[in-house]
Amino acid sequence: MPDWLITGCSELLTLRGSAPRRGRALADLGLIRDGALLVHGDRITAIGPRRRIERLRESRRAEKLDLGGRVVLPGFVDSHTHLIFPQSRAADYEQRISGKTYEQIARKGGGIRSTIDSLRRASPKKLRDLARTRLRQFAAHGTTTLEAKSGYGLDWKNELKILNVLHELHQQQPLDIALTFLGAHVVPPEFRRRPDAFVDLLVKRWIPTVATAGLAEFCDVFCDRGAFTVAQARRILLAARACGLVPRIHAEQLARTGAARLAIEVQAASADHLEKIDSSDIRALSLSGVVCTLLPGCSFHLGLGKYAPARQLIDSGAIVALATDFNPGTSPTLSMPMILSLACTQMRMTPAEAIAAATINPAYSLRQHDRIGSLEVGKYADLAAFDVAGYREIPYYFGVNLCSLTMKRGIVIHSKKR
Ligand code: NIG
Ligand code: FE
């Protein structure tokens, strides 16, 4: 692998400093104008103003990569995706446009349950090929690490099928994938009349097996109206924690249930969605170490109009992150730049806050902030370069992909000619 001297960064957003970022510190991008960095193998060995970096002895030997005046930032860390599903739910989409709600469609057997049916029929090869294509698109939009959940199998054989595909994809790289077991996505059809028997199965069998076999690092629950109750989610997440899996939780999307408080109680790494939280939840979250992962793609795609209270969360000092929630039902986008546009326009986050919420804070929520999420000496050379005149233009130009180069661990994995 060559060493790289990367120059031509009109703005180099390092995001250097401590993690996680709260309050005002969220907008601190550590910006260097006319910056450069030196990469040895998969790591950054020097970073700073071009003039200083170019003078280093190692720079003379390194291969030159001149980005010609682009804006460079850490690769996006997309900390909430449902990467593995066999087909779209465009028919649900059309029904919603005609007036049916997400929950009405789900109750009629559409929604998540229809994805479960098709996933159970899909071969591992088909799922792997689809996911590979999607991963290339993630990379083309500047994402270098993502979290991915199981949860569309919901019997042991098919949950295992998803986790195995994810493992293979992670091993083959180029993107790093953090694995989450979401056996508690919804109550599967076989257990419709006895949901607590399903929770027993999760707690006594599946979760301990996932943990001992090292099949996932995190355990998630969809704790909401129509999915799992707070009491059931508590049992599941405490069992997960006892086995060494780190809790994450889908919380307060469809109804305010108390799921955000549960996230704090079980010391979840992340509470995701949060569209329905109130001011007392905001206060509690801001005093906790739980990352509030906001998913504005869902409100946009479902046409709900109501977004999570990002402004209040940030201003009260909560740890805020952004993610795509890439999934066929509520957020079929893998574009982090689009999520940044939604965060700024619909949730009034500033472009700088949105960028930090898409890099260093989600790295923290995945417990990887020691190696990704910022561009600093010793961290992975994971970066994205954008064809824009300044970083504010990344969310400003929405619905287009201006990411022209993505590097993962020192390897160029996406490159577009100007
Ligand atoms: O995060 N809410 C649960 N999970 C997904 C939706 C999954 C689906 O509809 O297929 C979400 O929004
Ligand atoms: Fe989700």
Side-chain angles (χ1 to χ4, degrees), residues 1 4 6 12-14 37-47 72-77 144-145 170 173-177 363 367-384 407-411:
M1 249 164 99
W4 292 107
I6 305 176
L12 180 55
L13 315 183
T14 65
L37 61 163
L38 198 58
V39 174
H40 175 69
D42 57 6
R43 307 273 172 163
I44 297 165
T45 50
I47 181 160
V72 176
L73 56 149
F76 293 124
V77 179
T144 48
T145 298
H170 172 62
Q173 296 275 306
L175 298 191
D176 281 312
I177 305 177
R367 305 291 186 251
Q368 294 191 31
H369 50 292
D370 59 334
R371 45 192 193 276
I372 59 169
S374 64
L375 300 175
E376 294 179 89
V377 170
K379 284 197 169 183
Y380 284 141
D382 287 7
L383 55 88
M407 177 178 272
K408 174 71 191 171
R409 297 197 194 199
I411 296 172

Side-chain angles (χ1 to χ4, degrees), residues 142-300:
T143 296
T144 48
T145 298
L146 65 156
E147 182 261 17
K149 305 174 195 295
S150 69
Y152 289 124
L154 299 193
D155 60 23
W156 179 246
K157 186 176 107 195
N158 285 292
E159 284 296 294
L160 200 59
K161 182 166 91 183
I162 300 173
L163 292 172
N164 284 335
V165 168
L166 287 172
H167 263 278
E168 262 178 70
L169 293 167
H170 172 62
Q171 249 137 33
Q172 288 162 356
Q173 296 275 306
L175 298 191
D176 281 312
I177 305 177
L179 266 71
T180 298
F181 178 59
L182 178 58
H185 199 178
V186 287
V187 177
E190 306 78 42
F191 286 86
R192 195 162 18 222
R193 283 176 210 293
R194 35 190 198 112
D196 284 312
F198 182 62
V199 175
D200 280 340
L201 180 64
L202 277 166
V203 163
K204 294 189 182 138
R205 306 281 283 276
W206 292 5
I207 287 172
T209 311
V210 166
T212 16
L215 295 171
E217 187 180 348
F218 300 97
C219 180
D220 196 343
V221 180
F222 183 16
C223 178
D224 215 318
R225 188 168 68 198
F228 292 88
T229 64
V230 168
Q232 292 167 333
R234 179 181 289 112
R235 276 191 70 202
I236 294 164
L237 294 178
L238 287 178
R241 227 183 54 177
C243 300
L245 299 176
V246 179
R248 314 183 81 81
I249 183 164
H250 282 73
E252 326 282 15
Q253 179 192 18
L254 305 171
R256 181 167 177 268
T257 61
R261 303 303 177 103
L262 178 65
I264 300 167
E265 179 192 323
V266 302
Q267 296 173 321
S270 179
D272 301 38
H273 283 292
L274 306 177
E275 286 86 347
K276 293 279 161 70
I277 53 176
D278 69 10
S279 52
S280 71
D281 298 325
I282 294 173
R283 213 169 313 118
L285 286 164
S286 70
L287 297 171
S288 80
V290 177
V291 178
C292 302
T293 302
L294 311 183
L295 311 168
C298 296
S299 301
F300 176 75

Side-chain angles (χ1 to χ4, degrees), residues 13 69 150 157 189 235 237 244 271 312-313 342 348 358 365 375 383 392 404 415:
L13 315 183
S150 69
K157 186 176 107 195
R235 276 191 70 202
L237 294 178
Q312 291 92 314
L313 282 165
L342 292 173
R348 307 182 75 79
S365 101
L375 300 175
L383 55 88
R392 294 175 185 86
S404 55
S415 160

Side-chain angles (χ1 to χ4, degrees), residues 27-106:
D28 182 8
L29 296 176
L31 188 154
I32 301 169
R33 282 184 207 286
D34 193 11
L37 61 163
L38 198 58
V39 174
H40 175 69
D42 57 6
R43 307 273 172 163
I44 297 165
T45 50
I47 181 160
R50 177 177 54 83
R51 291 188 179 192
R52 181 172 75 74
I53 303 300
E54 275 179 341
R55 274 202 300 269
L56 298 173
R57 189 153 40 91
E58 298 82 359
S59 291
R60 269 176 252 145
R61 283 196 300 269
E63 219 156 302
K64 314 284 181 286
L65 177 60
D66 181 354
L67 295 176
R70 293 184 175 119
V71 172
V72 176
L73 56 149
F76 293 124
V77 179
D78 190 347
S79 57
H80 183 143
T81 84
H82 304 251
L83 176 68
I84 305 294
F85 58 86
Q87 60 194 43
S88 87
R89 296 216 302 269
D92 288 10
Y93 177 55
E94 196 169 53
Q95 282 195 46
R96 278 201 312 276
I97 293 166
S98 320
K100 294 241 167 20
T101 69
Y102 178 74
E103 287 174 277
Q104 281 166 346
I105 294 167

